[in-house]
Amino acid sequence: LKKKSIPSITINRLSIYHRCLEKILETEKGKELKIISSFKIAEMTGINSAQIRKDLAYFGEFGKRGLGYPLIDLSRELKKILGLDKKWSVIIAGAGNLGKALVKYKGFQKRGFIIKGIFDNNPSKIGKKLGHIFIYDIKEVEKFIQAENINIGILVVPADSAQEVADKMVAGGIKAILNFAPVHIVLPLEIIIHNVDLAIEFEGLTYYLSQ
Amino acid sequence: LKKKSIPSITINRLSIYHRCLEKILETEKGKELKIISSFKIAEMTGINSAQIRKDLAYFGEFGKRGLGYPLIDLSRELKKILGLDKKWSVIIAGAGNLGKALVKYKGFQKRGFIIKGIFDNNPSKIGKKLGHIFIYDIKEVEKFIQAENINIGILVVPADSAQEVADKMVAGGIKAILNFAPVHIVLPLEIIIHNVDLAIEFEGLTYYLSQ
């Protein structure tokens, strides 16, 4: 499979397709289905079918023109491409409301993202639990990442401490950071960082509302 | 200005550029600056300069080749394009952790998104406040949207009630919905819906971690 220089927006859509196929495979009728068309995926996801065929073509020839895609094979292949056939160990830095919301977010564990610990600098939070996850002192984060072999860090700390906490995570050996703090973080090139900016999600809407 | 068929990913990047220019204009040095190059924006945002020039070209000729962009004009124009020169009235449906986190999120008010009310169906929450915002009965949401002329609804309710609450919002006259519930919602075509899927943000990372 060619996997180079695929736009990140395509990767996001592959997640959506994978989720759609899983949903079909969970139903009784879906279990008997052998073939899925791009039109059916389009109907379920709201993404147009030409885009879907183009996205899937990045990874070789899954389907035959006019016949659709083999449902189970496509689902399995997408899962592998997306790295969802593995378990990933995750920590959260920041035990505020957003941190709490993320701990409870049901979609994570289901997809193999296991939250191993939460970190904060507030003494009144350290040692307590959120759900069944312990809150540790942020000073321990570097050691914890090493000891527990953590893959992904989620940053939900205030903007003015985000860089410092991210640096600690990298020193501990983390490979990827999901950053919710509204600030641009500078990291070594080999670290994957993905910025989630909630205000930007809004601005997309107001652009369209203004037309 | 031509504004048709601009990819939504470009709109997201325009938000990032606008934010970057604002940050420059807030500094002492920035206030004296007249011209900004795509290279400087690239350096600050991490987006490559060719992409920046391409994105800005959608909206006509802001800059001159090799001379850069007029800083204040570009910032003002982006603000207008993104609909950020207006105030927008927002409600939140769902007073859970994510709802709480969004109420406290400082980026919203600063950009003209005014949260006017929170709605929930839990009697122990209704009538209380989150920060300085009242929690109302979800049954009132339709009337409230009409009376207060609300533009945007944020859905942070559980997946199994998301469609029902979205329908209520639309009945009240809402024009745009930001959906955090992990479910595909079907709405009339004229309603703008933007789905924020936190698990998908993760899956982008694991794709790159798997390479």
Side-chain angles (χ1 to χ4, degrees), chain A residues 3 15 19 44 81-83 88 97 104 111 113 154 184 194 197 201-203 206-207 210-211, chain B residues 3 15 19 44 81-83 97 104 108 111 113 154 184 194 197 201-203 206-207 210-211:
Chain A
K3 288 184 183 173
S15 288
R19 207 164 290 228
M44 288 185 65
I81 289 165
L82 292 167
W88 300 96
N97 285 311
K104 290 190 187 169
R111 308 197 155 269
F113 305 112
I154 306 182
H184 179 59
H194 184 72
D197 186 329
E201 309 282 357
F202 255 131
E203 292 180 16
T206 58
Y207 167 78
S210 300
Q211 302 309 299
Chain B
K3 288 185 187 174
S15 287
R19 206 164 290 228
M44 288 185 64
I81 289 165
L82 292 168
N97 284 313
K104 290 191 185 167
F108 290 162
R111 310 199 153 266
F113 305 111
I154 306 182
H184 179 58
H194 185 71
D197 186 328
E201 308 282 358
F202 255 133
E203 293 180 15
T206 59
Y207 167 79
S210 299
Q211 301 309 299

Side-chain angles (χ1 to χ4, degrees), chain A residues 118-123 126-127 135-142 144 168:
Chain A
I118 308 160
F119 292 82
D120 207 290
N121 64 357
N122 183 338
I126 295 164
I135 305 175
Y136 301 96
D137 191 330
I138 188 72
K139 285 178 193 152
E140 318 262 356
V141 75
E142 194 176 328
F144 189 94
K168 275 186 189 154

Side-chain angles (χ1 to χ4, degrees), chain B residues 160-175:
Chain B
D160 56 6
S161 54
Q163 179 71 53
E164 188 193 333
V165 174
D167 289 341
K168 277 186 188 155
M169 286 181 173
V170 171
I174 215 134
K175 294 284 178 293

